[in-house]
Each structure stands twice: as C-alpha cells, then as structure tokens.
Amino acid sequence: MSTETLTRTDSAANRAGFTTAIGLVIEREIMVRLKSKAFMISTILSIVILGALVGVSGALPSLFSSTDKVAVTSAGAEAVKGIEDIEPVVVDDVDEAKALVSSEKVDAAVVDSEDSPTGVAILSLRSAPESLIGSLSLTPEVELLDPDAPDPALTYFIGLGLGLVFFMAAMTFGNTIASSVVEEKQSRIVEILLASTSARVLMFGKVIACTILAFAQIGLTAVAVLAGAAVSGNDLVLGKVAEPIAWFVPLFIIGFVMVAALYAAAASMVSRTEDLPSTSTPIMMLIFLPYMAVIIFSSNETVMGVLSYIPFSAAVAVPMRVFLGTIAWWEPLVSLLILAATTLLALLVATRIFERSILQSGPKLSWGQALRRR
C-alpha cells in the first residue's frame, strides 16, 4: 500500500474519530440537562406560561365583553346594523320601545326621530350604553395616509419579546456551559475526559449541545405561543410577525453559538465557581448593552440601522426593521454574514483560550493572560 493511500486512510480515521467524539460529548451534555429536574421544570413552566398568556390575551376581550339588548324601530335597526355587542330587539313603534325600556327588558332603544341629525334617537332609563352612543355619534371623515403603518406600541413589544428571548437564552444556557466547565474542573472529571478526547472536541461538543437545547426550548415555546394564538384567534401573532421571526431564527442560532463559545472560554479561565463572574461579566455586558439599546432606540431608524450590523444586537434589530419595513432586501444578508464572520472569529479565540486554560488550576486568569499563554 502506498504512502499516499495510508495518509488518506489515517485522515479519514481521524475525521471519523473527531465526529464520533463530538457526538459523544453532545449526547452526554444533553442527557445531563434532560435528567436535571430543575432544568425540565423551568423549561416546561416557561413554555406553558407563555402559551397561556398569548391564549388568554386573545380570549380576555370576549370574556369581559357584554351584549346589550336594544329595542329598535325600522330606522333604528338600520342604524345599529354592524355594531358589535348589540342585540337588536325589533319593535313596531316608539311606544313599544319605551315600554320595553321602562320594564328594563332592554338596556336602551334606538327609534326614529325627525329632530336628530342622524335620523334616530336613543331612549334609556338611566344611562345608555357607551358603545351605542359612540357608534351612532356623528364623526368627521377620516383619511388614513398609511393604513399599513406599524403600531409603535406593537413595534416596542416585538423588540422587547425577541430581545428577551435572545437575552434569556444566552444568559441561561451560557451560564449552563460555564457552570458545566467549572464543575468538571473542580471535580477533575475534565482530566479524565481529556485523556480520551481533545479540549477542542470537548468545547465544541458543549457549545453544540447547548445550542440544540436552546433552540429546542425556543422552538417549543414558539409552538406553544402559536397554539395559544390559534385557540384565541389572535391573528396578530399568527400573521404579522412571521417574516421577522424567519430572520430571527438563523440570526439567533449563529449569535448563540458565538455567545456559548465565549462562555466556555470564560469558564476555562477559572478554577472555582466563585471566580466565574469576573470572567463572564464582560460577555454579559456585551449581550445586555446592545439589547437595551434596541429597546430604547426602537423608534430611531438611524440607530437601529447601526445596531443591525453589530453582532450582539443583530438578532433583534434586524427582525424589528423587517417588521417596520425600513430595511433593504440585502441588509439582513449582510448582517447575517457579519455575524457569521464574527462567530467564526469568536470560535477561534475561544478555542485557543479553552485549550490553553482548561487544565489551569489555582488563581483565575484574565482574558489577556489566557490569550498570551502557551
């Protein structure tokens, strides 16, 4: 057998071994989390609560709405046609309408009136329903210059919701990776793991496992939210945010990989759980500050344009601009490419730190010290 053939065979074996090792690390990490009662309970509760909130928000108006019985003459019947929460009771004349109102069999009556500008008058025993008065009042002509313009309040809540999803997932699962790494260092399990695999495989396996868990949790939450929207008939959730969410998913996955890798590197630089905040706080601030900027400047198109190209805020800023319709078709693609390049760089830096620091014991290292170590 030639040397070239042997080289190709060894290379294929190494690739297979690398893939198998990562698969084992991923399986181990996922199973550890799935066996954690705290993790499962918190996940199930968050999914159920969010789904229920969406369902209840759509059902509340119908639960608290009431139908008013209103006696109507021929002209009155035409006037109340199409008014919600009104149950018309047809009568022959004004006297019959007055009798029903006086006996409180109806809440009010709408009858013919030649003196009224609208051609009808409202009869009531004590007070007429506000919805009826408002619907029959004369209103000036209204011209909507942009009927499809996004609601500012809705825009704010979309940014808040997507930002909260990314922020909470990054913080929760980032800390999960960091805690796992520190626990394995403290118990010296990491030395056993590194005897059968490499530090790179260990880090990549942890990052991929937590990315899978984070995406699965968010996916299940999305299903619960859509189910709640479908049950309550909330077409806002079902229709208007579909395209922003379609961009949020790839941006979230790539951005989360970046954050997870940095958390793994931060944890490798410490030997005790107590020291973890000192290395993970900079990462938390890189997530928190852009998140707050998106919430605060959601109505500022210039600032939102800049935030679309910042890796730590792109996952929220881009979907918001897509919803608002203030983004060109190519901008999300450019933002995605910038985020992917930044994530690749973060993986290279994190891998270098992880490989050089994972077996470090004693005092914690700073980011600069970890990068300079050989």
Side-chain angles (χ1 to χ4, degrees), residues 22-199:
I22 283 186
L24 291 173
V25 175
I26 293 173
E27 181 182 359
R28 175 179 176 273
E29 290 294 321
I30 291 178
M31 292 308 298
V32 167
R33 298 306 152 199
L34 293 181
K35 290 179 180 178
S36 169
K37 291 183 179 179
F39 174 79
M40 293 302 296
I41 291 173
S42 63
T43 299
I44 293 172
L45 282 177
S46 64
I47 292 171
V48 171
I49 290 172
L50 283 174
L53 284 175
V54 173
V56 170
S57 66
L60 280 178
S62 61
L63 290 176
F64 289 99
S65 63
S66 59
T67 302
D68 296 309
K69 284 188 175 183
V70 176
V72 294
T73 58
S74 57
E78 187 66 28
V80 301
K81 184 182 296 183
I83 300 177
E84 296 182 358
D85 303 327
I86 295 295
E87 181 184 342
V89 178
V90 180
V91 296
D92 295 329
D93 51 38
V94 175
D95 291 335
E96 186 180 353
K98 287 182 177 180
L100 291 177
V101 172
S102 299
S103 63
E104 298 190 19
K105 292 182 179 179
V106 296
D107 298 290
V110 179
V111 299
D112 304 20
S113 175
E114 295 180 357
D115 299 329
S116 172
T118 60
V120 294
I122 299 176
L123 306 177
S124 179
L125 191 61
R126 285 178 291 272
S127 62
E130 294 293 335
S131 60
L132 182 62
I133 295 174
S135 300
L136 295 180
S137 299
L138 290 174
T139 57
E141 182 181 351
V142 177
E143 180 182 357
L144 300 179
L145 299 179
D146 187 3
D148 297 323
D151 184 352
L154 177 59
T155 302
Y156 175 81
F157 282 112
I158 286 177
L160 182 65
L162 293 179
L164 193 60
V165 167
F166 182 80
F167 181 72
M168 293 304 296
M171 294 296 296
T172 300
F173 288 96
N175 283 316
T176 296
I177 290 179
S179 298
S180 173
V181 171
V182 176
E183 288 170 6
E184 289 174 356
K185 287 188 68 172
Q186 286 182 316
S187 61
R188 308 188 76 87
I189 292 177
V190 68
E191 297 177 9
I192 300 174
L193 294 173
L194 292 179
S196 56
T197 188
S198 66

Side-chain angles (χ1 to χ4, degrees), residues 246-266:
W247 278 109
F248 175 74
V249 170
L251 289 165
F252 167 81
I253 294 174
I254 297 174
F256 182 84
V257 169
M258 172 181 63
V259 172
L262 292 175
Y263 264 103

